């Protein structure tokens, strides 16, 4: 493997080239630092390697085996984890929402979970920066949270039939809805074209109208001098006798390499980040790196993501257009008239045929098989769909740990244990009722409820107290000052909306911190 920095000690090595890793690579390399980025998956070319094919593009997700456990074991893979340069941004829907002020103070406001050590105001300038940098398209007025617009680019147009149905149902019930803020271009930007509504956002955007760090931040990082290496599985973070990180080891095509660095940043996402920290245990850190608190891998969260399908008399054609084009956050905040705290976002969410079939076979009311499955699939064009992004409260028993089973690299596989709490279940029931009501108000007959989850957060949470957290508010580990964690694993709560914007805003904030403290960090 031909290497630019082979044998050299660099300023920064970043593990993972997804939403956070891409931002960090660009920001730090443009600041003049020598940067190496390692990703376990391939470095793909959208025009050459993407296809409008649901089955083949499953490979954009992390398909390696993980052990699942708990009362509500998660389905792992394409739906909640990316693998390859660009990470999950390569195959996400492009929904780009900000967290609300209440998300950072759930303990203070609602008496649940914990408060973040930062507030919305700390991230607001970084939300602005990221949204401008990738030209987020959005409505003229966004009625929820602290940011009401305008977005850098105008909202997407035209809407899909499913989005029209959703907005019609919301209007009938007095529920506010908007065209969804999206990291998808509504007009040309830099060298990228506007969206033409191909609808295969989850399979990778071949025209590059949808943002990903693969096509935006990584090329800029490389132009600034960073070295980005795909198919490189990092197996261990190395430390010295002083307890500082000195670099990482990684495997590429069966051969082991070492990359020395003055600063190590782990941005490998919610399962692989704790797994790497735990797998890097040594005599000085017998319980894993950055784990003196015992919180590495603890209190990770997902989003509840139940789908409701309703059958209409007229064709909806769920494959048409960008998957998510209309949303509401009218149920985002805690309300005294509900039997749960916190809340959720609802999206009009399209579905390709294979995804539709896979979902309905897992229907929570009556799983659909055999002749009924065939009949349902023949009526595919007549179904509309609404999906939820529901907040799940942190629970220390929901954990990422190491199993006894080994993977192809000889490393213990991740064991992912998850169970909903009663508040989570009540929230889900309320959301399913609202989704059903919206579809019914639009003229549909709700028939199918599919239990699902999406997005992972937590497991290396931030905090001011080293006894109850893994990192500080900048992602700097309490135990090892030149080891950072920066991805969704540092979230304290999950919020009720899609997390990518917050992940990238945190990464931009961490990059500014590293640049300002470079001397102290011995860079």
């Amino acid at each position: 493997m031909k290497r630019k920095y082979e044998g050299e000690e660099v300023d920064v090595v970043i593990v993972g080239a997804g939403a956070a890793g891409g931002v960090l690579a660009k920001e730090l390399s443009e600041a003049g630092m020598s940067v190496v980025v390692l990703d376990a998956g391939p470095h793909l070319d959208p025009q050459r390697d993407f296809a409008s094919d649901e089955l083949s593009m499953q490979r954009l997700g992390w398909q390696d085996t993980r052990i699942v456990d708990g009362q509500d074991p998660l389905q792992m893979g394409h739906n909640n984890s990316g693998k390859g340069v660009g990470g999950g941004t390569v195959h996400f829907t492009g929904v780009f929402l900000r967290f609300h002020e209440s998300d950072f103070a759930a303990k203070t406001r609602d008496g649940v979970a914990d408060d973040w050590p930062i507030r919305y105001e700390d991230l607001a300038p970084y939300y602005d920066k990221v949204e401008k940098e990738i030209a987020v398209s959005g409505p003229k007025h966004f009625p929820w949270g602290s940011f009401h617009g305008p977005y850098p680019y105008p909202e997407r147009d035209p809407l899909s039939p499913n989005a029209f149905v959703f907005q019609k149902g919301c209007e009938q019930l007095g529920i506010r809805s908007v065209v969804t803020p999206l990291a998808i271009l509504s007009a040309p930007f830099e060298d990228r074209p506007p969206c033409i509504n191909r609808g295969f956002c989850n399979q990778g955007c071949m025209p590059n109208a949808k943002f990903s760090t693969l096509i935006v931040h990584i090329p800029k990082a490389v132009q600034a001098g960073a070295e980005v290496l795909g198919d490189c599985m990092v197996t261990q973070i190395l430390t010295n006798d002083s307890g500082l990180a000195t670099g990482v080891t990684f495997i590429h095509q069966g051969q082991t390499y070492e990359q020395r660095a003055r600063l190590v940043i782990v941005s490998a996402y919610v399962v692989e980040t704790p797994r790497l920290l735990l797998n890097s245990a040594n005599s000085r850190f017998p319980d894993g790196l950055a784990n003196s608190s015992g919180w590495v891998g603890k209190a990770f969260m997902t989003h509840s993501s139940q789908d409701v399908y309703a059958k209409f008399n007229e064709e909806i054609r769920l494959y048409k257009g960008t998957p998510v084009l209309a949303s509401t956050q009218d149920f985002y905040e805690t309300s005294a008239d509900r039997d749960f705290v916190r809340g959720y976002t609802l999206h009009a969410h399209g579905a390709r045929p294979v995804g539709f079939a896979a979902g309905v076979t897992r229907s929570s009311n009556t799983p659909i098989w055999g002749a009924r499955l065939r009949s349902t699939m023949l009526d595919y064009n007549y179904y509309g769909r609404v999906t939820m992004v529901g907040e799940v409260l942190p629970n220390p028993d929901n954990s990422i740990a190491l199993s006894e089973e080994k993977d192809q690299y000889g490393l213990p596989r991740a064991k992912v244990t998850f169970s909903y709490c009663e508040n989570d279940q009540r929230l889900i029931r309320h959301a399913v009722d609202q989704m059903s009501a919206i579809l019914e108000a639009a003229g549909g007959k709700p028939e199918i409820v599919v239990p699902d989850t999406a997005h992972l957060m937590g497991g290396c949470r931030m905090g001011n107290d080293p006894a109850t957290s893994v990192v500080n508010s900048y992602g700097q580990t309490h135990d090892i000052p030149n080891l950072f964690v920066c991805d969704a694993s540092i979230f304290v709560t999950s919020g009720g909306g899609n997390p990518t914007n917050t992940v990238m805003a945190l990464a931009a904030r961490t990059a500014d911190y590293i640049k300002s403290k470079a001397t102290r960090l011995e860079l």
Side-chain angles (χ1 to χ4, degrees), residues 173-234:
L173 298 174
I175 298 169
R176 295 172 296 175
S177 67
V178 298
V179 179
T180 311
L182 295 168
I184 301 174
L185 297 181
S186 58
F189 178 70
E190 294 184 339
D191 60 347
R192 296 164 51 211
C195 179
I196 56 173
N197 271 318
R198 290 175 63 254
F200 284 91
C201 302
N202 296 124
Q203 287 72 45
C205 179
M206 294 174 69
N208 289 340
K210 189 190 76 170
F211 155 80
S212 72
T213 50
L214 170 66
I215 64 167
V216 176
H217 292 85
I218 292 298
K220 292 177 180 179
V222 172
Q223 186 177 15
E227 182 174 38
V228 180
L229 302 173
D231 294 312
C232 294
M233 177 67 181
V234 175

Side-chain angles (χ1 to χ4, degrees), residues 150-187:
Y151 287 89
Y153 267 33
E155 65 188 32
R156 288 286 315 286
D157 182 57
L159 298 186
S160 65
N162 192 55
F164 277 119
V165 162
F166 176 80
Q167 291 201 313
K168 178 183 176 182
C170 286
E171 183 179 3
Q172 292 290 322
L173 298 174
I175 298 169
R176 295 172 296 175
S177 67
V178 298
V179 179
T180 311
L182 295 168
I184 301 174
L185 297 181
S186 58

Side-chain angles (χ1 to χ4, degrees), residues 13-16 20-21 24 234 237 248 263-269 272-277 280 289 460 475 477 483-490:
V13 61
I14 301 171
V15 183
L24 289 160
V234 175
I237 301 166
V248 300
L263 181 71
V264 176
I265 308 177
V266 185
S267 299
Y269 202 48
E272 293 303 307
T273 288
R275 182 187 180 212
L276 178 59
L277 294 173
S280 298
L289 301 190
C460 292
T477 63
L483 173 63
F484 281 67
V485 174
C486 189
D487 54 27
S489 67
I490 67 176

Side-chain angles (χ1 to χ4, degrees), residues 277-278 285 287-298 396 459-471 477-479:
L277 294 173
L278 296 172
F285 301 104
D287 297 320
L289 301 190
N291 197 29
S292 64
S293 65
W295 277 89
V296 169
K298 297 291 183 65
C460 292
R461 70 179 191 167
M462 64 166 71
N464 293 324
D465 185 355
T468 57
S469 60
V470 178
V471 302
T477 63
H478 295 303
D479 297 350

Side-chain angles (χ1 to χ4, degrees), residues 2-6 8 10-17 20-39 43 85 213-214 216-230 259 265:
K2 189 175 181 180
R3 296 276 320 281
K4 178 179 179 181
Y5 290 114
E6 188 167 8
E8 297 182 23
V10 296
D11 292 326
V12 185
V13 61
I14 301 171
V15 183
V23 170
L24 289 160
K26 171 189 176 294
E27 293 294 324
L28 299 181
S29 60
E30 288 182 345
M33 299 181 186
S34 55
V35 177
V36 171
V37 186
L38 303 167
D39 198 281
H43 195 156
V85 176
T213 50
L214 170 66
V216 176
H217 292 85
I218 292 298
K220 292 177 180 179
V222 172
Q223 186 177 15
E227 182 174 38
V228 180
L229 302 173
Q259 178 60 63
I265 308 177

Side-chain angles (χ1 to χ4, degrees), residues 18-212:
V23 170
L24 289 160
K26 171 189 176 294
E27 293 294 324
L28 299 181
S29 60
E30 288 182 345
M33 299 181 186
S34 55
V35 177
V36 171
V37 186
L38 303 167
D39 198 281
H43 195 156
L44 300 176
D45 179 284
Q47 280 70 50
R48 184 188 66 228
D49 299 314
F50 292 172
S52 300
D53 184 314
E54 290 181 79
L55 291 178
S56 68
M57 290 297 100
Q58 289 290 316
R59 61 191 174 93
L60 298 178
W62 193 287
Q63 300 299 318
D64 293 17
T65 299
R66 283 146 170 179
I67 311 301
V68 295
D69 195 8
Q71 295 178 9
D72 303 286
L74 300 182
Q75 179 183 351
M76 308 300 297
H78 184 276
N79 65 312
N80 54 27
S81 191
K83 187 175 184 180
V85 176
T89 64
V90 171
H91 62 83
F92 78 144
T93 59
V95 174
F96 222 67
L97 299 170
R98 298 187 181 200
F99 272 18
H100 294 199
E101 288 183 4
S102 66
D103 292 320
F104 300 93
K107 183 71 171 180
T108 297
R109 293 190 179 211
D110 297 311
V112 295
D114 288 289
D115 292 348
W116 294 49
I118 59 174
R119 291 295 179 263
Y120 173 85
E121 292 74 19
D122 296 307
L123 278 190
Y126 296 102
Y127 282 134
D128 292 341
K129 171 185 170 66
V130 170
E131 289 167 0
K132 182 178 180 181
E133 192 170 65
I134 65 175
V136 171
S137 62
K140 292 179 181 178
H141 177 71
F142 190 82
W144 306 281
S146 299
F147 177 75
H148 303 299
Y151 287 89
Y153 267 33
E155 65 188 32
R156 288 286 315 286
D157 182 57
L159 298 186
S160 65
N162 192 55
F164 277 119
V165 162
F166 176 80
Q167 291 201 313
K168 178 183 176 182
C170 286
E171 183 179 3
Q172 292 290 322
L173 298 174
I175 298 169
R176 295 172 296 175
S177 67
V178 298
V179 179
T180 311
L182 295 168
I184 301 174
L185 297 181
S186 58
F189 178 70
E190 294 184 339
D191 60 347
R192 296 164 51 211
C195 179
I196 56 173
N197 271 318
R198 290 175 63 254
F200 284 91
C201 302
N202 296 124
Q203 287 72 45
C205 179
M206 294 174 69
N208 289 340
K210 189 190 76 170
F211 155 80
S212 72

Side-chain angles (χ1 to χ4, degrees), residues 235 251 275 279 404-413:
T235 55
I251 296 175
R275 182 187 180 212
N279 269 323
E404 296 181 0
E405 184 177 317
K406 301 293 181 66
D407 67 5
Q408 65 268 38
Y409 306 104
L411 300 174
R413 297 189 188 276

